[in-house]
Amino acid sequence: MPRCAVRADDGHLLIVNPNTNAATTRLLETVARQQLEGTHLAVRGVTVDEGPRMIVEPAALDASVSYVVERTRRAVTEQTRGVIVGAIGDPGVDELRRLYDIPVIGIGEASVRAAAEGGRRFGMATSTGLLSLRLEQLVARHSAAGRFTGIRFTPTLADDLAADPEQQFVELQRAVHDSAVFDGAEAVIIGGGPLSESARRIAAASSVPIIEPVPSAIARLLAYSAA
């Protein structure tokens, strides 16, 4: 299906949170608005009606596909200029692309493509160890597998880190360090929409380029306007 160019002079960007945590939706909206400063494109965030507060294992990722599609179908209007799916596993992206001729961007695909630019080696730091295989499949689908240095996981589980933002930051920062120093990554993806605030903090102080999922998706979506 052909893609329509994103018009940044009116309308809104829809960002869909596949987790049921409304606080994460507000975080995604905030990051998106900051990235869109200087345009006239508004941001509208929506939260799925069913599923876990945070997707941390494969069954939940699979189940979220239908929730994402259903919630998006109710939210898209004539003023919607593009859709971003705000979970690193990109649930529902393929299905939504078959439904709409506006750009549909998953933060997972956008992050991988941004990280692999220029043929650089890249890794990932995240807190969802149970999604290891799915994340590796995501990378293989959207990049040359030989560029990927692997995933570094936080020792603390995602649900626990969500309740302790400072510990989340510390553990992800260590994972980024290990990815760069021990794995040879030339860029590191922070894997997950709910990790966006930590990603921003790490990016501000890191010597290795940090790939932030939501900004990567925004950049990819806006690129349609130049196509």
Side-chain angles (χ1 to χ4, degrees):
M1 181 178 296
R3 292 282 176 250
C4 295
V6 177
R7 300 200 306 273
D9 58 343
D10 59 2
H12 66 261
L13 163 67
L14 182 68
I15 187 162
V16 183
N17 177 18
N19 308 279
T20 57
N21 186 345
T24 296
T25 306
R26 292 191 292 272
L27 173 61
L28 297 174
E29 284 182 304
T30 297
V31 174
R33 288 194 180 101
Q34 292 170 344
Q35 190 73 7
L36 287 168
E37 287 183 2
T39 77
H40 296 286
L41 193 63
V43 177
R44 181 188 176 199
V46 296
T47 312
V48 295
D49 300 312
E50 299 180 64
R53 286 176 59 81
M54 183 178 292
I55 298 171
V56 297
E57 49 88 20
L61 182 63
D62 292 341
S64 69
V65 171
S66 61
Y67 305 144
V68 167
V69 172
E70 191 276 334
R71 187 66 186 91
T72 302
R73 292 183 72 161
R74 289 193 284 114
V76 166
T77 71
E78 292 183 356
Q79 297 302 308
T80 304
R81 304 304 182 215
V83 177
I84 288 179
V85 176
I88 199 71
D90 295 348
V93 166
D94 290 339
E95 290 78 5
L96 291 173
R97 284 175 175 167
R98 289 193 287 268
L99 289 173
Y100 300 108
D101 63 357
I102 56 176
V104 177
I105 310 294
I107 64 171
E109 175 184 354
S111 298
V112 169
R113 293 189 182 279
E117 284 181 358
R120 63 185 170 185
R121 290 166 55 80
F122 68 96
M124 185 182 297
T126 190
S127 58
T128 50
L130 294 176
L131 289 174
S132 176
L133 179 59
R134 295 302 183 86
L135 295 176
E136 290 171 357
Q137 291 171 339
L138 175 80
V139 170
R141 180 179 179 185
H142 298 297
S143 174
R147 301 175 187 171
F148 188 51
T149 64
I151 308 171
R152 289 279 178 169
F153 295 102
T154 59
T156 303
L157 296 176
D159 288 337
D160 295 328
L161 286 183
D164 191 343
E166 190 60 30
Q167 185 65 21
Q168 180 188 93
F169 166 73
V170 168
E171 292 193 15
L172 283 171
Q173 188 176 51
R174 170 55 62 179
V176 167
H177 172 273
D178 291 349
S179 182
V181 172
F182 299 116
D183 303 336
E186 298 170 309
V188 181
I189 299 167
I190 303 295
L195 306 179
S196 292
E197 181 57 34
S198 288
R200 178 145 298 190
R201 290 179 63 190
I202 294 168
S206 177
S207 60
V208 63
I210 299 300
I211 308 302
E212 302 177 58
V214 175
S216 296
I218 296 284
R220 189 166 180 79
L221 187 145
L222 290 178
Y224 279 103
S225 63

